[in-house]
Each structure stands twice: as structure tokens, then as C-alpha cells.
């Protein structure tokens, strides 16, 4: 079975943790241990990951330059993809005792320059701030900001991914038995011009949407969206909250879910499941159990005999 596993931001940084190399390394090691179980079970694996905290930090570091010397978000996305990919690659190689080759591929993802997302930034990047500090930073740097829980963060455009031109390279690697880490941070956002050339664009693509597109283009059997909650919940945050074990793509899209967290995951999962695969959402540590129908939420077009409570 070919599995695409998308690691949430918590794979390398838990909310509230300092963005240090040591913390990211420790979390990458934990992620690698969970992913290695999928490989040990006999499955082929493609790994994607988020980069919101990391790309935001790189942007803050770039603010130390003159405005015309700061690197754009597509370049920062490539930088963060290389950094995170390196950590996951090394830790997964160690977890597998170097029995399988692992490679990181910086992945370009085409977006539409007319996507309305460019006029309405929604993608969180960087650290969280108290509102007053966020507003001061936004005023100084020309940011857009939005509330994230009880804090505030910078938001940037998050256009829909429409094409993954590097899919040919990915398939070549998979044909050779390579475990591939790719589409980091949703991929490097690029535009395709009328002559077919590619050029970078200021944006950060949603990792889950890009992972669903990737899984579809690869013909994957399963898409796992791994996060820090056990499953999709009904009535989340209330005394009536309950885990959803299994649900159809159509029913999943009718759920009343928070726009900034679970809703994009469920939308991406439903899109992939609608093409015939199985999409699962749940804790990183439960990755193999989600795949086996023993944990998390499974979104499938045809109801299975797996857990439904």
C-alpha cells in the first residue's frame, strides 16, 4: 500500500515550545519512530510536512535586512523545506537502521495567480503574539494579522494548489523503493507562464490541500493527516464532544468545524477520499493504528467494517 503521511506543525514544534533546533530535532525523532512503524508494516511511504513556524521565523530574520534585500516567501519556503526535510530524513534513516533509502525533494507546486486567496490572506505563519504586539509589528512591517486561539499571528495568502510539476521525479524515486519527503510546507508556490516556465510567488500553500493533491496524482491508497488530536470531534470543546470513527466524504463536508484548524484537514481528506482512497485524521503516535482502522477518524467513500463509534 502506498501511504502519504502529512505531518502537522506539531511534528517538529508543539504549541508554545521555543523554536530551537534541539526541540525540532527531538520532535522529528518522535515523528520518525511513528512513521517507521508504517514502513515496518510493509507499506511504501511518502511524507509531507508543515512549515508555518519555521518559515515565519525565517521571515522575521529577513526583516533585519533592508526591505529590498529580504527574501520572498517562495525562497523561504524552499529554505524551511530543506531544513525540516533534513531532520526528518536523518531521524527516519536512523529509525529504520538505514534499511531503506530516504530522500528529501524540494517540490514546486503551481498555483493560479488569479486565485482570490491573494486578496484575502488566511494562512498563519511565524510565532504567536499578544494582540498589541501583533498590531505593532503589522503596522511596522505591513503584515496582515489574525487571531489564532487566544493569540495573534501573521497571515499570508494561501492559494489552492493546482499542479505538482515534480510528480515525475517523485514517481521515479518511488519506483526505486525510496521513501520520499516532499511538498514541505505545502510546496514551493510557483506560477506557470504562458510559455510553460515557472516562477515563484509570495504565498504559503496549505499543507493538507497540497498533500491531498499529491496523494491523488501519485495514486496513493491512503492519506494520513497527522496532528495532535485523537480524531475529528463532534461538539468539540463541550461536554458532548465525541470522536468520529468513520464518515463519508459528503457527510464530512457538512460537519461544523473550526475554520482555522480542523476544517481544512477534513476538506482535504474528503477530496482525496472522494477519489476512492482512504483518508485518516488523528494523532501522529497512532499513525499505523489509523491506517488499520483502530484509531482516529477514517473518511471513506464505501463504509468498511472498521471502528465506527
Amino acid at each position: 500500500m502506498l501511504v502519504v503521511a502529512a505531518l502537522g506543525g506539531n511534528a517538529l514544534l508543539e504549541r508554545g515550545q521555543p523554536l530551537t533546533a534541539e526541540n525540532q530535532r527531538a520532535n522529528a525523532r518522535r515523528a520518525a519512530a511513528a512513521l517507521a512503524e508504517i514502513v515496518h508494516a510493509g507499506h511504501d511511504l511518502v511524507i509531507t510536512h508543515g512549515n508555518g513556524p519555521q518559515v515565519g521565523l525565517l521571515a522575521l530574520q529577513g526583516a533585519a535586512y533592508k526591505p529590498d534585500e529580504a527574501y520572498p516567501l517562495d525562497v523561504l519556503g524552499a529554505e524551511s523545506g530543506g531544513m525540516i526535510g533534513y531532520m526528518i530524513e536523518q531521524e527516519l534513516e536512523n529509525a529504520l537502521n538505514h534499511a531503506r533509502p530516504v530522500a528529501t525533494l524540494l517540490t514546486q507546486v503551481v498555483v493560479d495567480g488569479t486565485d482570490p486567496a491573494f486578496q484575502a490572506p488566511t494562512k498563519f505563519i511565524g510565532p504567536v503574539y499578544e494582540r498589541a504586539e501583533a498590531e505593532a509589528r503589522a503596522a511596522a512591517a505591513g503584515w496582515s494579522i489574525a487571531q489564532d486561539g487566544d493569540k495573534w499571528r501573521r497571515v499570508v495568502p494561501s492559494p489552492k494548489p493546482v499542479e505538482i510539476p515534480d510528480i515525475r521525479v517523485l514517481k521515479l524515486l518511488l519506483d526505486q523503493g525510496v521513501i520520499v519527503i516532499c511538498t514541505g510546507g505545502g510546496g514551493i508556490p510557483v506560477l506557470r507562464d504562458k510559455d510553460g516556465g515557472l516562477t515563484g510567488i509570495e504565498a504559503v500553500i496549505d499543507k493538507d490541500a497540497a498533500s491531498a493533491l499529491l496523494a491523488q496524482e501519485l495514486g496513493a491508497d491512503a492519506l494520513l493527516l497527522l496532528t495532535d488530536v485523537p480524531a475529528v470531534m463532534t461538539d468539540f470543546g463541550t461536554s458532548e464532544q465525541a470522536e468520529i470513527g468513520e464518515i463519508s466524504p459528503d457527510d464530512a463536508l457538512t460537519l461544523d468545524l473550526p475554520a482555522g484548524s480542523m476544517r481544512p484537514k477534513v476538506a482535504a481528506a474528503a477530496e482525496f477520499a472522494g477519489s476512492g482512497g482512504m483518508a485518516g485524521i488523528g494523532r501522529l503516535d497512532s499513525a499505523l493504528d489509523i491506517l488499520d482502522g483502530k484509531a482516529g477518524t477514517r473518511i471513506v467513500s464505501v463504509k468498511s467494517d472498521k471502528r465506527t463509534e
Side-chain angles (χ1 to χ4, degrees):
M1 181 183 294
L2 176 58
V3 179
V4 173
L7 306 181
N10 64 294
L12 285 181
L13 193 74
E14 297 177 4
R15 180 175 283 267
Q17 272 191 321
L19 190 59
T20 65
E22 291 78 10
N23 283 337
Q24 294 180 79
R25 171 71 69 181
N27 288 329
R29 188 172 299 119
R30 182 174 67 89
L35 296 171
E37 292 183 0
I38 295 174
V39 179
H40 289 317
H43 304 298
D44 293 318
L45 182 63
V46 174
I47 302 163
T48 69
H49 59 80
N51 72 343
Q54 292 83 4
V55 77
L57 178 63
L58 290 172
L60 282 174
Q61 292 172 342
Y65 293 93
K66 297 177 182 178
D68 59 349
E69 294 177 348
Y71 290 145
L73 285 172
D74 60 305
V75 175
L76 299 182
E79 288 186 33
S80 62
M83 176 185 72
I84 297 169
Y86 156 67
M87 290 187 177
I88 297 173
E89 178 180 328
Q90 189 176 79
E91 294 299 336
L92 185 56
E93 288 172 336
N94 291 339
L96 294 172
N97 290 320
H98 300 269
R100 289 281 299 274
V102 183
T104 299
L105 178 69
L106 296 182
T107 316
Q108 299 175 92
V109 176
V110 176
V111 300
D112 185 346
T114 65
D115 191 312
F118 285 105
Q119 307 304 318
T122 59
K123 181 68 175 176
F124 291 117
I125 68 168
V128 297
Y129 302 102
E130 297 295 338
R131 180 170 185 170
E133 183 178 359
E135 289 176 343
R137 288 180 176 271
W143 293 353
S144 294
I145 59 172
Q147 191 167 5
D148 182 14
D150 61 349
K151 305 292 184 180
W152 288 72
R153 294 176 74 186
R154 181 185 177 188
V155 288
V156 298
S158 182
K160 181 180 179 180
V162 297
E163 178 192 352
I164 302 176
D166 295 318
I167 202 75
R168 293 178 298 171
V169 181
L170 287 167
K171 289 181 177 179
L172 286 172
L173 291 168
L174 289 172
D175 286 345
Q176 296 302 312
V178 178
I179 298 169
V180 185
I181 303 161
C182 63
T183 326
I188 303 166
V190 297
L191 299 177
R192 187 181 292 282
D193 63 31
K194 61 182 180 181
D195 298 321
L198 300 176
T199 185
I201 183 71
E202 281 267 287
V204 174
I205 302 168
D206 180 74
K207 171 262 304 174
D208 295 319
S211 298
L213 177 61
L214 174 71
Q216 287 178 297
E217 293 198 1
L218 288 176
D221 301 288
L223 169 66
L224 300 181
L225 303 181
L226 303 172
T227 182
D228 58 354
V229 296
V232 181
M233 306 277 192
T234 57
D235 301 313
F236 180 72
T238 73
S239 60
E240 303 298 320
Q241 77 174 28
E243 294 184 15
I244 298 173
E246 188 167 287
I247 191 171
S248 72
D250 288 342
D251 287 344
L253 292 174
T254 67
L255 295 172
D256 184 16
L257 300 168
S261 56
M262 193 56 75
R263 190 186 302 173
K265 291 186 186 302
V266 169
E271 181 171 347
F272 173 73
S275 67
M278 187 283 291
I281 300 175
R283 290 191 189 278
L284 169 63
D285 295 342
S286 302
L288 184 58
D289 283 342
I290 297 169
L291 196 62
D292 291 339
K294 300 175 182 177
T297 296
R298 291 165 55 99
I299 301 178
V300 291
S301 292
V302 179
K303 200 169 184 63
S304 73
D305 58 357
K306 304 294 185 182
R307 65 189 286 271
T308 57
E309 69 275 8

